[in-house]
């Protein structure tokens, strides 16, 4: 199964790497470099999954997640935080804001795609193709 993924990430290098890895497994990625443009993109077309950086300029990822969750059409779309926030309590705050999952940066290119698609499988109950490129 190929997923349509929205990536909301302000760092150009992170956008490139994430997009490259996901494209290698047939997933399509649309990028937004800040919260407002990410929300606009999410409302413009349907996505299977949203990857969300938390430390965004202007509107942080917490606010983006809350805004998306308050929108009826977005309530069942898995939102995965991909962030450098790794202090005690950060994971809980991110999940409380409306994210379904949490991955710490820097990402592991060997397991990233499998980790991301497992969140989609867990949220929707659907089965995805095996995209593991390494062990977890």
């Amino acid at each position: 199964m190929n997923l349509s993924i929205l990536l909301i990430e302000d760092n150009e290098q992170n956008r490139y790497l994430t997009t490259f890895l996901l494209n290698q497994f047939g997933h399509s990625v649309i990028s937004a470099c800040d919260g407002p443009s990410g929300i606009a993109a999410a409302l413009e077309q349907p996505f299977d999954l949203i990857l969300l950086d938390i430390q965004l300029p202007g509107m942080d990822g917490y606010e983006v997640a809350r805004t998306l969750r308050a929108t009826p059409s977005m309530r069942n779309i898995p939102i995965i935080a991909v962030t450098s926030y790794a202090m005690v309590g950060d994971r809980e705050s991110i999940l409380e804001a409306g994210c379904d999952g949490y991955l710490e940066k820097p990402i592991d290119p060997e397991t990233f795609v499998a980790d991301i698609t497992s969140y989609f499988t867990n949220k929707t109950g659907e089965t995805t193709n095996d995209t593991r490129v390494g062990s977890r």
Side-chain angles (χ1 to χ4, degrees), residues 3-9 18-19 22 28-35 37-53 64 68 74 77-80:
L3 302 176
S4 174
I5 299 171
L6 173 60
L7 171 62
I8 307 172
E9 167 66 65
T18 301
T19 300
L22 291 165
S28 63
V29 180
I30 300 292
S31 295
C33 60
D34 59 36
S37 62
I39 291 169
L43 298 174
E44 202 171 281
Q45 73 180 71
F47 290 96
D48 297 312
L49 184 74
I50 298 171
L51 301 179
L52 176 63
D53 184 18
V64 172
L68 292 173
M74 297 285 110
I77 309 271
I79 301 173
I80 310 306

Side-chain angles (χ1 to χ4, degrees), residues 79-94:
I79 301 173
I80 310 306
V82 182
T83 183
S84 59
Y85 283 19
M87 299 297 289
V88 173
D90 284 339
R91 179 184 182 91
E92 293 75 14
S93 297
I94 288 167

Side-chain angles (χ1 to χ4, degrees), residues 13-34:
Q13 291 174 330
N14 290 342
R15 282 194 313 269
Y16 175 81
L17 176 59
T18 301
T19 300
F20 175 80
L21 292 171
L22 291 165
N23 285 166
Q24 291 299 303
F25 288 94
H27 305 301
S28 63
V29 180
I30 300 292
S31 295
C33 60
D34 59 36

